[in-house]
Every structure is written in structure tokens, then in C-alpha cells.
């Protein structure tokens, strides 16, 4: 019985909270959800276009959105401060203008703040970006997974599981490979688990990366 559930949705209200905080009428809910997705895509596009990233890792861990009457508060959690450190105030202003233009904001103005996270490689999104960069550079998927596990060990996590699915190493038949280090108790609701799924486009096709990181038990 392969009844799978998203580990973050499974833990909502216990160890996990929402990344978007706002209220609206049920008929306007889908519109608000699409707007949130557009904001996140805008920020990621801006980072890719304006910052010349050699490693392929954007370093955005999470984007939180809080909507008020006249302001959209956007909090960007960044792993590597050097991405936005040069002329930080100017760059944030540019980003705000870019988001305003893309969304055609009239009533609500975006207000962006950037927060640095302590252990970048303890975050599954940044780790998935790192693995994706390695796979695009034709590094063997096993080497990429082992290197990612080494990086998380430095971030003091209790356990990690990485799964990659698709045409691995360009083989004709798609398959799933996974590796686990430490404990990853997925059925324990009190266990704080960070999760992300990340698609990566290679010349052979799309590969899917899934990462579970066991941070702590409350």
C-alpha cells in the first residue's frame, strides 16, 4: 500500500507552520494562491537574472508571505549572504520595484526583508539546488548524494534521506535510487522534518530530487 503524504502537510499545526499567512473570502482563495506563487517565481527569476551565480545554488531557503490591508510583507530566508550583500539596500529596492511591476500592485505595496539562516546546508531546498547543479555538470548521482550528506553532517542534523528518480546517468530505463544517513522517523508527528521535492532538467530528461532532513524532536 503506497499511500504517501507530504511530510510538511502531515505536521501542520505541530512542528510546521504555513509559509503564507493571510485571510480571504473562499471565492477569492484561488486568486490569492496564484498571486503567492507569482511572487515566489518573480523573486527566483530576479535572483537568477541579476546575480551571476557560478555554483548554481541560489541559496533561497524559503519565502514567507504575510498579506495585510495595504502591505504584502515578504520575508526571504537566504543561506548565503554574499548573494545580496553588495549594495544591499539598492538591491532590495530593485527587487521591490521588479515585484511591483510584475504584479501590477495598486492597493498593496510589497515590503521585502532578508533573513540569513545559520546552517545553509541543513536546509533541503539549498541542498537540492546543490545536487541539481552537480547533476547538470554530469557528476555521478551517487557522488552528488554522498557529497550532499557530507555537507549536512557539518550542519549538525540528526538524519537525512535523499531520493533521486528518473533516467539516472542517461540510462534508457528510469529508476529510483535513495540513500539514508542517521534517523529519519517519518511516521512520528512530533519529529521536526524538513522536506522538499525539486525537479532538475538534464539533457536526458527531468530528474526528481526528494530530500528529508530530520532536524529535531520536540
Amino acid at each position: 500500500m503506497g499511500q504517501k503524504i507530504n511530510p510538511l502537510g502531515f505536521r501542520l499545526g505541530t512542528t510546521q507552520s504555513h509559509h503564507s499567512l493571510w485571510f480571504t473570502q473562499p471565492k477569492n482563495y484561488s486568486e490569492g494562491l496564484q498571486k503567492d506563487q507569482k511572487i515566489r517565481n518573480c523573486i527566483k527569476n530576479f535572483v537568477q537574472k541579476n546575480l551571476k551565480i557560478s555554483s548554481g545554488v541560489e541559496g533561497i531557503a524559503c519565502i514567507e508571505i504575510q498579506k495585510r490591508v495595504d502591505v504584502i510583507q515578504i520575508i526571504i530566508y537566504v543561506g548565503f549572504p554574499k548573494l545580496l550583500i553588495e549594495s544591499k539596500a539598492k538591491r532590495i529596492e530593485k527587487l521591490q520595484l521588479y515585484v511591483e511591476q510584475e504584479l501590477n500592485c495598486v492597493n498593496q505595496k510589497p515590503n521585502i526583508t532578508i533573513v540569513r539562516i545559520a546552517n545553509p546546508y541543513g536546509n533541503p531546498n539549498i541542498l537540492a539546488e546543490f545536487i541539481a547543479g552537480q547533476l547538470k555538470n554530469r557528476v555521478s548521482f551517487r557522488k552528488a548524494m554522498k557529497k550532499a550528506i557530507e555537507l549536512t553532517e557539518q550542519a549538525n542534523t540528526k538524519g537525512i534521506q535523499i531520493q533521486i528518480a528518473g533516467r539516472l546517468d542517461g540510462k534508457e530505463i528510469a529508476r529510483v535510487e535513495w540513500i539514508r544517513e542517521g534517523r529519519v522517523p517519518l511516521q512520528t508527528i512530533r519529529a521536526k522534518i524538513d522536506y522538499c521535492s525539486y525537479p532538475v532538467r538534464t539533457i536526458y530528461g527531468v530528474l526528481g530530487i526528494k530530500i528529508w532532513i530530520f532536524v529535531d524532536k520536540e
Side-chain angles (χ1 to χ4, degrees):
M1 298 292 286
Q3 295 177 346
K4 295 169 184 66
I5 188 165
N6 188 302
L8 304 180
F10 188 50
R11 290 172 174 78
L12 266 178
T14 51
T15 60
Q16 180 68 29
S17 59
H18 290 278
H19 293 318
S20 294
L21 296 169
W22 44 268
F23 294 94
T24 186
Q25 295 292 326
K27 62 181 179 182
N28 301 328
Y29 178 77
S30 61
E31 196 184 311
L33 201 63
Q34 285 168 1
K35 197 174 181 181
D36 279 11
Q37 194 56 47
K38 204 173 177 185
I39 290 169
R40 291 191 170 98
N41 292 339
C42 273
I43 292 165
K44 284 178 182 173
N45 289 342
F46 179 86
V47 171
Q48 282 172 351
K49 281 180 192 171
N50 295 296
L51 303 173
K52 290 167 185 172
I53 303 159
S54 57
S55 61
V57 179
E58 293 162 22
I60 296 173
C62 168
I63 298 168
E64 276 187 12
I65 298 167
Q66 300 169 9
K67 288 180 188 170
R68 302 195 184 112
V69 179
D70 54 347
V71 176
I72 301 173
Q73 180 70 43
I74 302 165
I75 304 165
I76 306 171
Y77 291 91
V78 175
F80 307 107
K82 65 181 177 182
L83 293 183
L84 291 148
I85 225 162
E86 310 160 35
S87 60
K88 193 176 173 184
K90 281 185 187 174
R91 193 154 275 170
I92 291 171
E93 276 175 33
K94 266 190 194 175
L95 180 55
Q96 279 185 194
L97 280 169
Y98 180 73
V99 171
E100 261 182 71
Q101 285 166 3
E102 288 290 313
L103 295 175
N104 297 325
C105 299
V106 181
N107 302 324
Q108 293 177 311
K109 295 283 179 188
N111 179 27
I112 295 171
T113 52
I114 291 171
V115 178
R116 189 193 167 191
I117 58 171
N119 296 318
Y121 288 114
N123 183 277
N125 290 297
I126 293 173
L127 209 59
E129 279 177 12
F130 169 77
I131 294 171
Q134 296 280 300
L135 293 172
K136 280 178 184 172
N137 294 336
R138 312 267 189 103
V139 174
S140 160
F141 70 92
R142 281 202 179 85
K143 269 188 187 173
M145 288 200 289
K146 282 175 183 170
K147 180 67 181 167
I149 282 172
E150 280 174 29
L151 290 168
T152 46
E153 280 170 3
Q154 296 165 15
N156 297 325
T157 54
K158 295 196 169 184
I160 177 170
Q161 181 174 321
I162 300 171
Q163 178 182 299
I164 303 179
R167 289 184 59 187
L168 302 173
D169 290 338
K171 297 281 173 20
E172 284 189 16
I173 295 175
R175 65 186 199 278
V176 179
E177 292 283 341
W178 62 276
I179 187 169
R180 186 194 293 143
E181 192 74 35
R183 283 181 64 232
V184 186
L186 294 178
Q187 293 193 346
T188 311
I189 296 176
R190 284 176 302 145
K192 190 173 189 323
I193 286 179
D194 274 351
Y195 165 81
C196 92
S197 65
Y198 190 92
V200 50
R201 292 187 180 278
T202 64
I203 56 167
Y204 306 113
V206 179
L207 301 180
I209 302 169
K210 287 185 180 180
I211 299 178
W212 296 259
I213 294 178
F214 177 32
V215 183
D216 201 1
K217 193 171 182 180
E218 293 206 342

